[in-house]
Amino acid sequence: MRPDSPAMAAPEEPLRRRKVRNTGRETGSPPGPGRDPAGSPAHLRAGTFWLTRIVLLRALAFVYCVAFLVALHQNKQLIGDRGLLPCKTYLKSVQRHFQGRIGWDAVSYAPTVLWLLDWSHMDSNLDALALLGAGISSFVLLTGCANMVLMAVLWVLYTSLVNVGQIWTRHGEWK
């Protein structure tokens, strides 16, 4: 800076040194427990997204919970054993299309957990998937706590129901 020019608004002292000097601590001293260097509580400091995370997880859990409760209420009538378009018939037709084998091609065409379950009681399988999804999503909704495993399980369960739902769950027709 030239000596004859007016002073700039920003001081030449680094920001870190100014913050430490204003809090009354020495530069090398660590912040107190549960506090960041600026002196505010750790859960409120800038750069953390705890509130966003909780709101987003609860909102997503609410959507999953509603979807699984709707599935629990409607699956037997729509895709159950005596439903309008039974998913057992759909899975058998997919299996026939791939020469009777349940291999990678069939699973990638219609990815669902139902490939692994017994098809003789499809109504109870559909109810179990919907109840498990509703239970996990209710837990996330009430506690606000989730990890990648819980969210992946919710996604797999929902995808399993949507992929055997045929016309009832395609293109946003799930009502």
Side-chain angles (χ1 to χ4, degrees), residues 50 53-55 57-58 61 138-147:
W50 63 274
R53 181 179 186 273
I54 290 173
V55 169
L57 281 176
R58 287 188 175 182
S138 296
F139 170 76
V140 174
L141 181 63
L142 294 175
T143 63
C145 299
N147 58 16

Side-chain angles (χ1 to χ4, degrees), residues 21-98:
R21 190 181 66 218
N22 291 341
T23 59
R25 287 192 316 263
E26 294 180 22
T27 307
S29 65
R35 295 215 169 284
D36 71 347
S40 62
H43 67 280
L44 294 178
R45 69 178 181 252
T48 61
F49 301 101
W50 63 274
L51 181 62
T52 306
R53 181 179 186 273
I54 290 173
V55 169
L56 182 66
L57 281 176
R58 287 188 175 182
L60 187 59
F62 176 74
V63 170
Y64 271 128
C65 190
V66 168
F68 284 120
L69 290 175
V70 168
L72 181 65
H73 182 69
Q74 294 182 349
N75 275 350
K76 284 186 282 242
Q77 292 83 7
L78 297 176
I79 59 174
D81 286 330
R82 291 190 276 160
L84 296 174
L85 292 171
C87 67
K88 184 191 303 187
T89 307
Y90 173 70
L91 291 174
K92 285 182 181 179
S93 71
V94 170
Q95 187 177 11
R96 272 194 313 273
H97 178 73
F98 292 104

Side-chain angles (χ1 to χ4, degrees), residues 90 109 162-174:
Y90 173 70
Y109 183 78
V162 166
N163 283 323
V164 295
Q166 303 157 57
I167 64 169
W168 309 114
T169 58
R170 301 283 192 245
H171 309 293
E173 295 176 15
W174 186 305

